[in-house]
Amino acid sequence: MHQTPTHALPSYLDADHLGPWGTYLQQVDRVTPYLGALGRWAETLKRPKRALIVDVPVELDNGRIAHFEGYRVQHNTSRGPGKGGVRFHQDVTLPEVMALAAWMSIKNAAVNLPYGGAKGGIRLDPRGYSQAELERITRRYTSEIGVIIGPSKDIPAPDVNTNAQIMAWMMDTYSMNEGSTATGVVTGKPVALGGSLGRVEATGRGVFVVGCEAARDLGIDVAGARVIVQGFGNVGGTAARLFHGVGAKVIAVQDHTGTIYNEFGLDVPELLVHVSRNGGVGGYEHAQALDPAEFWKLETEFLIPAALEGQISSANAGDIRAKVVVEGANGPTTPEADDILFDKGILVVPDVVANAGGVTVSYFEWVQDFSSFFWTEDEINHRLERIMRDAYAAVSQVAREHKVTLRTAAFIVACTRILQARQVRGLYP
């Protein structure tokens, strides 16, 4: 007799190499018992609605023709158009993009934005290409996925190694193909093209806001609290600056260039200048270099993983001595590590709530583009902080009711909203 596998995997996936998608499936399994009658729709969550793989051929500056793999995955659109970033990274894979799209579905529903989840990526290391080559790659990729994106279908945004300039090229390419300017096709654009004030630092600001809410729950005084940050790009750098600004001590930072430590607290504004000049924290003179493995063992109030997924695993979770982990990155903690942190009494504020500030201000940008009426940065930050606090409070209440982690609570809230929409819409045809 054949044994029924835990998950009926699509034929294009390898059960032994699921990567982040495997993590996501485990998270869905954990939440299914809490879905009640909606559980009959749970399989919907385990299958992306649409996955597009494209070839991206471009002529390089030296005349050679290069081909890149490109992806755009729409996980679920029951609650609205797809929404999610595009990343340029040499390790991008289909299972990774699927997982990131699924986490966007969860994130948008957890924060109650009127979006489904989507994600995109191109498999390349952008550091090896000129600005002109990146423009050609971006434009060709946009043309290839143009059949499934659009202001009311799927709205890309910046992610790892992409920025406002990439979004400008995407918007222009889509608009040229459509024959009219479509500012709402992407978010995270330059302000000159309908981008929103406050968008650049929105994700890091959201991490800071929910970190402060978690501190209040635990009775931690943020002023004087220690903070360690992995990843010092847009998210980690902004969060560190905001924590530093209210008197917290950022004592250690780790990125791809090194790990630095200063027990008395780093000068975050000065460190940000160093990073902008040197490409990373390595070599910063007012701190000591630290062995990367020692970073996770530091005693601290806040740990902010703001790099890539899978950084906190069963291998290092037992070493962590933080009171609160605030996930700036997507999927930085494996399910096994989640259990270890829970057993140690460490509060984990999950990515689908903690880093939802970016997509929240992307939503504001999309709304402003549709109405051609733009808000001030103070208005945007005020609205963002209110939405983030409300989302954290709702998830925290569900966690207390069911005596589960904040991550499981966020999935309960989000999956319930997604599957309610799926159920009332029904199946067509």
Side-chain angles (χ1 to χ4, degrees):
M1 270 181 75
H2 293 293
Q3 278 195 318
T4 305
T6 308
H7 299 108
L9 291 173
S11 62
Y12 52 81
L13 291 183
D14 179 354
D16 296 325
H17 299 93
L18 289 178
W21 182 250
T23 299
Y24 166 74
L25 291 177
Q26 291 181 58
Q27 292 167 341
V28 173
D29 283 345
R30 291 185 178 207
V31 78
T32 303
Y34 300 96
L35 298 178
L38 290 171
R40 68 187 284 257
W41 294 93
E43 194 68 24
T44 303
L45 300 167
K46 300 177 184 178
R47 299 168 183 269
K49 173 183 175 64
R50 183 179 289 119
L52 180 63
I53 305 172
V54 297
D55 176 40
V56 184
V58 297
E59 183 177 351
L60 301 181
D61 293 343
N62 63 9
R64 185 170 69 87
I65 304 299
H67 292 257
F68 303 94
E69 288 178 35
Y71 304 97
R72 187 68 186 175
V73 174
Q74 295 165 353
H75 173 257
N76 187 282
T77 56
S78 294
R79 301 181 69 253
K83 187 81 192 76
V86 173
R87 62 176 50 184
F88 288 1
H89 197 275
Q90 61 273 19
D91 297 327
V92 163
T93 63
L94 179 59
E96 178 191 46
V97 178
M98 287 169 57
L100 294 167
W103 283 322
M104 286 303 302
S105 293
I106 301 299
K107 186 184 302 183
N108 287 322
V111 186
N112 210 17
L113 301 179
Y115 289 137
K119 206 75 174 191
I122 304 178
R123 192 175 171 86
L124 87 162
D125 183 347
R127 291 172 296 185
Y129 298 91
S130 70
Q131 189 81 340
E133 288 170 333
L134 290 175
E135 178 175 355
R136 293 197 290 276
I137 292 166
T138 300
R139 289 184 180 278
R140 182 65 190 229
Y141 168 74
T142 305
S143 292
E144 295 293 347
I145 67 167
V147 292
I148 65 168
I149 65 171
S152 60
K153 293 197 290 187
D154 181 3
I155 307 107
D159 196 72
V160 175
N161 292 332
T162 58
N163 54 26
Q165 178 61 75
I166 300 288
M167 293 304 109
W169 290 330
M170 290 189 73
M171 188 214 88
D172 182 67
T173 304
Y174 180 86
S175 296
M176 292 300 100
N177 289 338
E178 289 291 302
S180 60
T181 299
T183 54
V185 68
V186 295
T187 57
K189 301 182 296 298
V191 172
L193 291 179
S196 179
L197 298 171
R199 173 62 183 88
V200 172
E201 65 171 30
T203 307
R205 182 174 292 277
V207 168
F208 168 71
V209 169
V210 297
C212 291
E213 292 299 294
R216 183 180 299 143
D217 275 357
L218 296 180
I220 297 171
D221 187 354
V222 177
R226 293 161 295 183
V227 182
I228 65 175
V229 184
Q230 187 202 36
F232 211 64
N234 183 29
V235 179
T238 299
R241 179 175 59 78
L242 292 170
F243 272 107
H244 177 81
V246 295
K249 290 193 301 182
V250 179
I251 60 170
V253 176
Q254 180 180 94
D255 71 4
H256 66 283
T257 65
T259 305
I260 60 171
Y261 171 71
N262 185 327
E263 65 176 309
F264 302 108
L266 297 158
D267 184 331
V268 174
E270 184 182 81
L271 179 58
L272 286 166
V273 172
H274 172 87
V275 169
S276 69
R277 288 176 179 163
N278 298 280
V281 301
Y284 179 63
E285 58 184 14
H286 297 132
Q288 68 186 76
L290 197 65
D291 181 271
E294 296 301 309
F295 172 83
W296 304 101
K297 301 176 184 178
L298 292 170
E299 189 169 339
T300 183
E301 278 68 50
F302 294 96
L303 163 59
I304 302 173
L308 293 172
E309 60 268 6
Q311 297 299 298
I312 302 176
S313 66
S314 55
N316 60 7
D319 294 331
I320 289 175
R321 294 194 292 164
K323 291 185 170 65
V324 185
V325 175
V326 190
E327 295 185 336
N330 291 311
T333 310
T334 67
E336 297 79 15
D338 251 346
D339 292 338
I340 294 168
L341 296 176
F342 181 75
D343 290 343
K344 293 182 70 171
I346 296 172
L347 181 68
V348 178
V349 186
D351 49 2
V352 293
V353 174
N355 70 20
V359 72
T360 300
V361 176
S362 275
Y363 167 59
F364 296 164
E365 179 176 335
W366 183 71
V367 169
Q368 291 170 90
D369 286 339
F370 268 117
S371 64
S372 296
F373 181 81
F374 292 84
W375 309 336
T376 67
E377 189 161 359
D378 282 346
E379 286 176 308
I380 285 159
N381 288 340
H382 177 72
R383 290 170 194 253
L384 167 65
E385 291 173 16
R386 189 179 74 239
I387 285 176
M388 295 298 292
R389 289 193 180 102
D390 288 350
Y392 177 85
V395 168
S396 186
Q397 182 175 338
V398 170
R400 287 193 296 270
E401 284 174 10
H402 292 285
K403 296 181 172 57
V404 293
T405 65
L406 287 178
R407 188 184 317 281
T408 300
F411 270 71
I412 292 171
V413 170
C415 293
T416 298
R417 287 172 176 163
I418 293 167
L419 297 183
Q420 281 175 339
R422 174 71 281 171
Q423 179 169 273
V424 295
R425 286 183 66 158
L427 295 175
Y428 173 84

